[in-house]
Amino acid sequence: EDSEEEDSEEEDESESDEILDNEANTYDAIATDFREVFRPYIKSFFVKHTDCTLIRLVKLRILTNLSSSVNVNQILRELQAYIAIYVDDIEFVSASIHAIGRCAVIVKEVAHLCLNGLTKLLSNNNEHIVSEAIVVLRSQIINKKINELDESHEQMVSTVIKQVTKLLPTVTAPQARATIIWILAEFCDKNSTAAKCAPNVLRLIAKSICQEDNFVKLQALTFSSKLLLSLDKEKKADLYNKVRLLANYTFSVAKYDKDHDVRDRGRFLKKLLEDEQLCAKVFQ
């Protein structure tokens, strides 16, 4: 009888959660379809400490969807406050960080401001916040602005690269580590700061590659190839030879890895690097 009562209670809870979820999605859809109607009342969607996580997430989606050039600064301040206040609610904090990235996409005028805010989060003591900020820096801003770099954005990218490079020895989340490597790989031939930091990052990754997550290993293999191709082997012969040794080491380790994707990536890139012209086309 007790087990039947427990099962009944669990079913009731799941049903109530489903109903609440459906209602929340409905409110979100209405607010999205009638943005101009709801924008004057944006403060009504600010998160309260009494809200459950689901309601917080829905309010967050609504706030992001209602963002405009008029209210975006107010929304960004609110998001920064959520990250500082609701540290115990990991799901909500993660969503708040991603919301900053979405605001940058929706209101392009504040993309630089959002990038600056995300960069400041890299110095946070909470590793989860740092990891999420690194991921958002890539997926929401750097990745989308890669072909639209002006001088100020270039400086901000340099700042980001300096900070994420310093974080590499301490960050343990695989996705964050892989993202740091991706950023270095993407900018090693476009940004002077990345070009300076990249060889040392490759050295650090080569030392720990056996213990890294498969996702990180795959990024490391691509990174070593891109870095090698970005160097002039005549003008920077010494550095080129050192990077070549590190790249060959990563390929050798990958050759005996348990994961077939890592093995295949290593074999493919090693063979590809033997044809410089083809490499230039693949990695351009």
Side-chain angles (χ1 to χ4, degrees), residues 9 11 16 18 21 28 31 72 128 180 187 198 221 258 268:
E9 288 177 1
E11 289 178 3
S16 62
E18 187 176 350
D21 190 25
D28 182 26
V72 69
H128 179 79
I180 292 173
F187 288 95
L221 290 167
K258 293 179 180 179
F268 169 72

Side-chain angles (χ1 to χ4, degrees), residues 207-219:
K207 287 175 66 176
S208 62
I209 193 167
C210 294
Q211 290 78 43
E212 298 287 356
D213 186 86
N214 290 336
F215 189 44
V216 179
K217 290 177 183 177
L218 291 170
Q219 288 293 342

Side-chain angles (χ1 to χ4, degrees), residues 3 27 64 88 102 124 135 182 184 191 203 231 272 277:
S3 61
Y27 298 146
T64 307
D88 294 334
R102 287 198 300 276
N124 196 287
V135 173
W182 179 91
L184 268 296
N191 182 280
R203 180 185 64 82
L231 297 173
L272 187 62
Q277 291 183 347

Side-chain angles (χ1 to χ4, degrees), residues 14-284:
S14 62
E15 286 179 5
S16 62
D17 288 343
E18 187 176 350
I19 293 171
L20 186 61
D21 190 25
N22 290 334
E23 289 181 355
N25 288 330
T26 302
Y27 298 146
D28 182 26
I30 293 172
T32 302
D33 291 338
F34 301 96
R35 287 187 176 91
E36 296 304 324
V37 176
F38 287 97
R39 272 176 179 153
Y41 309 99
I42 196 165
K43 288 186 178 180
S44 300
F45 300 105
F46 285 177
V47 171
K48 300 176 182 177
H49 72 279
T50 53
D51 293 333
C52 66
T53 299
L54 177 61
I55 297 301
R56 290 175 182 176
L57 293 173
V58 173
K59 283 186 173 182
L60 204 59
R61 292 206 303 268
I62 293 173
L63 282 174
T64 307
N65 289 331
L66 294 180
S67 61
S68 67
S69 56
V70 176
N71 60 27
V72 69
N73 288 323
Q74 186 180 17
I75 292 174
L76 288 175
R77 285 195 297 271
E78 194 71 12
L79 294 175
Q80 291 283 1
Y82 297 158
I83 295 167
I85 295 170
Y86 299 102
V87 180
D88 294 334
D89 192 341
I90 295 175
E91 185 179 3
F92 177 61
V93 168
S94 298
S96 298
I97 295 171
H98 283 270
I100 294 175
R102 287 198 300 276
C103 285
V105 175
I106 295 170
V107 187
K108 294 183 179 179
E109 295 91 332
V110 296
H112 191 273
L113 182 63
C114 293
L115 181 56
N116 188 38
L118 289 167
T119 304
K120 288 180 180 178
L121 291 177
L122 297 178
S123 59
N124 196 287
N125 293 327
N126 189 313
E127 186 184 344
H128 179 79
I129 292 176
V130 173
S131 299
E132 289 295 331
I134 291 171
V135 173
V136 176
L137 277 168
R138 171 195 170 173
S139 62
Q140 296 292 347
I141 298 179
I142 292 180
N143 201 20
K144 294 179 184 299
K145 289 286 180 179
I146 196 166
N147 296 318
E148 306 172 22
L149 297 179
D150 54 21
E151 187 176 348
S152 61
H153 194 90
E154 183 77 19
Q155 291 174 354
M156 184 59 71
V157 169
S158 297
T159 303
V160 171
I161 289 170
K162 286 179 182 178
Q163 290 198 251
V164 297
T165 302
K166 291 178 182 177
L167 289 169
L168 187 63
T170 56
V171 171
T172 57
Q175 190 175 13
R177 290 180 66 80
T179 301
I180 292 173
I181 298 169
W182 179 91
I183 292 172
L184 268 296
E186 195 64 40
F187 288 95
C188 64
D189 61 340
K190 303 180 183 73
N191 182 280
S192 58
T193 303
K196 291 178 183 177
C197 297
N200 188 51
V201 170
L202 180 58
R203 180 185 64 82
L204 293 173
I205 290 296
K207 287 175 66 176
S208 62
I209 193 167
C210 294
Q211 290 78 43
E212 298 287 356
D213 186 86
N214 290 336
F215 189 44
V216 179
K217 290 177 183 177
L218 291 170
Q219 288 293 342
L221 290 167
T222 304
F223 171 46
S224 61
S225 302
K226 283 190 171 184
L227 178 57
L228 191 62
L229 289 172
S230 70
L231 297 173
D232 189 327
K233 61 181 178 181
E234 294 181 0
K235 294 181 180 179
K236 298 181 179 180
D238 186 48
L239 180 59
Y240 179 87
N241 291 331
K242 290 179 180 178
V243 171
R244 182 84 199 193
L245 287 172
L246 289 170
N248 287 338
Y249 173 74
T250 60
F251 296 146
S252 298
V253 172
K255 182 179 179 181
Y256 301 101
D257 196 87
K258 293 179 180 179
D259 187 79
H260 63 85
D261 287 333
V262 175
R263 294 197 303 271
D264 290 346
R265 177 78 63 90
R267 281 196 296 266
F268 169 72
L269 291 175
K270 185 177 181 180
K271 199 70 178 175
L272 187 62
L273 285 171
E274 295 174 2
D275 189 334
E276 294 184 3
Q277 291 183 347
L278 182 59
C279 273
K281 292 180 180 179
V282 171
F283 289 108
Q284 65 181 0

